[in-house]
Amino acid sequence: MASVKDVAKLAGVSVATVSRVLNDSAAVSPGARARVQAAVDELGYRPNAVARSLRTDATRTIGLVIGDILNPFFTELARAVEDEARTLGLSVVIGNADERPERQDHYVRTLLEQRVDGLLLCPTAEITPLVRDTVAAGLPLVFLDRTLPGLEVPAVRADGAAAVDALVAHLKRLGHRRIAFVSGPALLSTGRERTDAFISALARHGLEVRPEYLEAGDFQAASGRAGAARLLELPEPPEVIFAGDNLMALGALDEIRARGLRIPGDVGLASYDDVPWFTHLDPPITAIGQPVQDLGRRAVRALAERVAGRPVEPVVLQARLLVRRSCGETEGSG
Amino acid sequence: MASVKDVAKLAGVSVATVSRVLNDSAAVSPGARARVQAAVDELGYRPNAVARSLRTDATRTIGLVIGDILNPFFTELARAVEDEARTLGLSVVIGNADERPERQDHYVRTLLEQRVDGLLLCPTAEITPLVRDTVAAGLPLVFLDRTLPGLEVPAVRADGAAAVDALVAHLKRLGHRRIAFVSGPALLSTGRERTDAFISALARHGLEVRPEYLEAGDFQAASGRAGAARLLELPEPPEVIFAGDNLMALGALDEIRARGLRIPGDVGLASYDDVPWFTHLDPPITAIGQPVQDLGRRAVRALAERVAGRPVEPVVLQARLLVRRSCGETEGSG
DNA sequence: TTGTATGCGTTATCAC
DNA sequence: GTGATAACGCATACAA
């Protein structure tokens, strides 16, 4: 593959001049510029980003480690990150942690070795030593969606407390009193926050918090199904099941269907997270939607700031309630 | 950040020795090895993959350019590719073409500059000059899912002809005669093949091929919806709508629902591509499933062979019919 | 078994 | 405006 040297020879100039026109980093005579361009075209020269990175100590690449690539929430997030990065001329390397700390670390390590300029991390449960070291080493880092307590790292995330409150108010208005929640892992900030928000909202609206209506899930479909099964077996089953993420809602849906129950006639269903196919179900699922596009874009911009050495503030966006028809609503307006 | 030099100094050996223990490329005395390890740990040394790549002329990274990251088919494919690559110690950089040739080229160019060892490409419609050049330049390349005629590039893909035939037979057995198809773009190999398979199957089973039952879509949900709308407006609408991919099936589903029609009572629906939530709809959607995991894994292995300089044969796997209940089936068995 | 020295392709410094 | 050249961090040929 052709290198600057080849281009220089063909154009009859020095490699320095070639580099100058390639990066238009300094004044170059029109004639030289033209000859270089011609040589570049003729040779089909492509700059070697590896060599450039070695020299400049910058890869123009950021890493993104997401929780689970099969979760549509993260897919959409990845896409948003990607879009924003592209407009900034950045490449993004995606790592799929599959919700496993050791796999997260695998990617963090790889990304570190690839010398990405910065890292967007949706951290799995624990603070791993590697993550701690990475922070300590000063690599520009921004947490996305989830956060880790006790680490000096800015986070870009959505707050769902108000939306959860609105959901509970909505359900109460519809006449529901027995609302159950299938939570995410308490080890994840998002898991904890949603559970806290739910419990607070119940209290605020004067609804009883029944321990048996709190099922612990892990953000995966199977746990949603299992949780729903236990809830539906209860002597006094809930009127509405609120799933802590879209995958668990899917699991709950399965279980409800498998039991031959009808939504919302026999039991209502609501979900934290909105995904495209929720609107295509019959009935469409009432959900709490996060500003995923914004989350992704803001995260990239925050990281770019950090890479540029500027300090950044945490970003908290608001999730919102999307009233549809899975909880006994008669109209679809919110 | 610590380099081999720092490690060498701390361990009291030369950089050559450090390199040797890092890659265990040659015999090193136990004592030296231990001191190097200790130094590596103490400094938190991380090899610089950029420098290593420059020196070895290999990045241990492959590129994957997919059609559309929001399409669950490609998401699952990406995950499979990722999994297999990881077991081979390869990193994968994903580019999302968004079904746009210019965006595909953007990523191919970036990936080329990053000097990936090989490229997995789900090509968009046309052969772009860049793709042609890339082939000519000899970069290890494998087409995935889709192929491009007239290029000497091995492809890993699924053949759905038998499954489509089985679907038509299945529908005929259920008493359907008027079957419509919403096709993908004729410019894509997958689009063409599915349409051809459908037409052949109709003929083979003695069913009439009505031009008005062939709607041209573009693999996106909107076109599926529009196609379904036109089909349902026909004086004699079809009994079953077969969508050429999962997104168009989604669009068709929307349209059917919006018209207040019932599946399968008023009209049946079948889809090429299977996605997880098809089984969660009511009724679950009869579909043609591709061996996505295998597709991804085989593609990575094929590419690895090409990178190693060995020739590889094209791979064709079989898609299969998944009978569910959206076409008037009474039992769910296939 | 170990160390020295070279070069990978690029950018940047410094002379001219 | 331009060119020689050093240096980035690493792997390796060669010498010891």
Side-chain angles (χ1 to χ4, degrees):
Chain A
M1 187 155 269
S3 80
V4 271
K5 240 181 250 177
D6 305 305
V7 174
K9 193 185 312 177
L10 184 57
V13 299
S14 72
V15 295
T17 298
V18 174
S19 179
R20 284 191 268 256
V21 346
L22 256 28
N23 305 290
D24 48 39
S25 54
V28 174
S29 70
R33 176 177 302 273
R35 294 204 308 284
V36 167
Q37 272 303 351
V40 162
D41 293 342
E42 179 170 346
L43 294 172
Y45 167 78
R46 302 211 175 281
N48 184 328
V50 173
R52 172 177 296 169
S53 294
L54 180 60
R55 181 57 231 247
T56 61
D57 197 32
T59 53
R60 304 284 311 153
T61 295
I62 61 174
L64 167 66
V65 179
I66 59 177
D68 174 8
I69 199 179
L70 293 184
N71 183 332
F73 168 77
F74 286 114
T75 307
E76 202 183 336
L77 192 58
R79 194 224 162 100
V81 165
E82 229 280 322
D83 276 352
E84 184 68 14
R86 187 160 24 74
T87 72
L88 298 183
L90 264 21
S91 293
V92 13
V93 180
I94 301 178
N96 168 32
D98 218 8
E99 301 295 10
R100 312 226 283 264
E102 76 277 12
R103 196 158 290 184
Q104 163 194 284
D105 278 10
H106 165 85
Y107 284 107
V108 172
R109 195 171 295 114
T110 302
L111 262 9
L112 250 32
E113 296 188 356
Q114 293 182 198
R115 297 300 193 265
V116 291
D117 293 343
L119 196 55
L120 248 27
L121 182 60
C122 308
T124 55
E126 311 113 42
I127 298 182
T128 65
L130 178 60
V131 169
R132 192 183 296 280
D133 289 355
T134 304
V135 176
L139 181 84
L141 187 60
V142 169
F143 286 150
L144 179 50
D145 175 48
R146 325 211 272 218
T147 181
L148 242 29
L151 247 28
E152 287 287 316
V153 175
V156 175
R157 59 192 193 81
D159 176 27
V164 169
D165 192 270
L167 172 66
V168 170
H170 168 71
L171 295 177
K172 186 179 177 190
R173 205 177 310 127
L174 291 171
H176 300 303
R177 293 296 175 272
R178 302 197 310 278
I179 309 171
F181 183 62
V182 184
S183 74
L187 282 172
L188 292 183
S189 62
T190 46
R192 283 192 305 276
E193 280 164 18
R194 294 172 197 182
T195 305
D196 292 351
F198 175 70
I199 292 176
S200 309
L202 282 191
R204 202 169 312 118
H205 291 280
L207 296 179
E208 191 185 358
V209 179
R210 300 208 206 173
E212 72 269 29
Y213 282 177
L214 252 32
E215 275 292 338
D218 64 1
F219 278 162
Q220 299 294 314
S223 73
R225 176 155 193 171
R230 283 189 294 271
L231 290 169
L232 295 170
E233 295 279 345
L234 252 25
E236 189 172 39
E239 292 157 323
V240 176
I241 295 177
F242 175 30
D245 86 336
N246 77 84
L247 294 178
M248 297 194 299
L250 183 66
L253 180 66
D254 265 359
E255 184 61 27
I256 293 169
R257 288 264 170 77
R259 287 170 181 259
L261 300 176
R262 297 177 52 96
I263 301 174
D266 297 313
V267 62
L269 179 64
S271 174
Y272 201 106
D273 274 352
D274 186 35
V275 293
W277 54 270
F278 274 180
T279 58
H280 305 287
L281 287 177
D282 186 20
I285 306 293
T286 291
I288 289 176
Q290 303 191 56
V292 186
Q293 293 295 321
D294 265 2
L295 242 24
R297 297 185 178 282
R298 299 290 294 267
V300 172
R301 291 210 290 267
L303 185 59
E305 289 297 295
R306 295 273 298 138
V307 171
R310 291 186 283 268
V312 317
E313 294 300 308
V315 174
V316 179
L317 305 176
Q318 292 299 314
R320 49 188 267 271
L321 175 62
L322 302 163
V323 172
R324 294 201 267 254
R325 299 211 314 279
S326 60
C327 297
E329 300 88 347
T330 45
E331 284 295 301
S333 69
Chain B
M1 186 156 272
S3 81
V4 273
K5 237 180 252 176
D6 305 305
V7 175
K9 194 185 310 177
L10 183 58
V13 298
S14 72
V15 294
T17 297
V18 173
S19 178
R20 284 191 268 256
V21 346
L22 256 28
N23 304 288
D24 48 40
S25 55
V28 174
S29 70
R33 175 177 304 273
R35 294 206 307 284
V36 168
Q37 273 303 351
V40 162
D41 294 343
E42 178 170 346
L43 295 173
Y45 168 76
R46 303 214 174 277
N48 184 328
V50 173
R52 173 178 294 170
S53 294
L54 181 61
R55 177 59 228 246
T56 61
D57 197 32
T59 52
R60 305 281 313 152
T61 295
I62 61 174
L64 167 66
V65 179
I66 60 177
D68 173 10
I69 201 179
L70 293 185
N71 183 332
F73 168 78
F74 286 114
T75 307
E76 202 183 335
L77 193 59
R79 194 222 163 102
V81 164
E82 229 279 323
D83 275 352
E84 185 68 14
R86 187 161 23 75
T87 71
L88 297 182
L90 265 21
S91 293
V92 11
V93 180
I94 301 178
N96 168 32
D98 219 7
E99 301 294 10
R100 311 225 284 264
E102 76 277 9
R103 196 159 289 184
Q104 164 193 284
D105 277 11
H106 165 85
Y107 283 108
V108 172
R109 195 171 295 114
T110 301
L111 262 8
L112 249 33
E113 296 189 356
Q114 293 183 197
R115 297 297 192 268
V116 291
D117 293 343
L119 196 55
L120 248 29
L121 181 61
C122 307
T124 54
E126 310 114 44
I127 299 182
T128 65
L130 178 60
V131 169
R132 193 183 296 280
D133 288 356
T134 304
V135 176
L139 181 84
L141 187 60
V142 169
F143 286 150
L144 180 50
D145 175 47
R146 324 209 273 217
T147 181
L148 242 29
L151 249 27
E152 288 286 316
V153 175
V156 175
R157 58 193 195 81
D159 177 27
V164 169
D165 192 271
L167 172 65
V168 170
H170 169 71
L171 296 177
K172 187 179 176 191
R173 205 176 310 125
L174 291 171
H176 300 303
R177 294 296 177 270
R178 303 198 308 279
I179 309 171
F181 183 63
V182 184
S183 75
L187 282 172
L188 292 183
S189 63
T190 45
R192 284 192 304 277
E193 279 164 19
R194 294 171 197 183
T195 305
D196 293 350
F198 175 70
I199 292 175
S200 309
L202 282 191
R204 202 170 311 116
H205 291 281
L207 296 178
E208 191 185 356
V209 179
R210 299 208 205 174
E212 72 270 29
Y213 283 178
L214 252 32
E215 275 292 339
D218 64 0
F219 278 164
Q220 299 294 316
S223 73
R225 177 154 192 172
R230 283 189 295 269
L231 290 168
L232 295 170
E233 296 279 346
L234 252 24
E236 191 173 37
E239 292 157 324
V240 176
I241 295 177
F242 175 30
D245 87 335
N246 77 83
L247 295 177
M248 297 194 299
L250 184 64
L253 179 66
D254 264 359
E255 184 62 26
I256 293 170
R257 288 264 171 76
R259 287 170 181 259
L261 299 176
R262 297 179 51 96
I263 300 174
D266 298 313
V267 61
L269 179 64
S271 174
Y272 202 107
D273 276 351
D274 186 36
V275 292
W277 53 270
F278 274 0
T279 58
H280 304 288
L281 288 178
D282 187 18
I285 306 293
T286 292
I288 288 176
Q290 301 192 56
V292 186
Q293 292 294 319
D294 265 3
L295 241 24
R297 296 185 180 283
R298 298 289 294 268
V300 172
R301 291 210 291 267
L303 186 58
E305 288 297 295
R306 295 274 297 139
V307 171
R310 291 186 284 269
V312 318
E313 294 299 309
V315 174
V316 180
L317 305 175
Q318 293 298 314
R320 48 188 267 272
L321 175 63
L322 302 163
V323 172
R324 295 201 267 252
R325 299 211 315 278
S326 60
C327 297
E329 300 88 346
T330 45
E331 284 295 302
S333 72

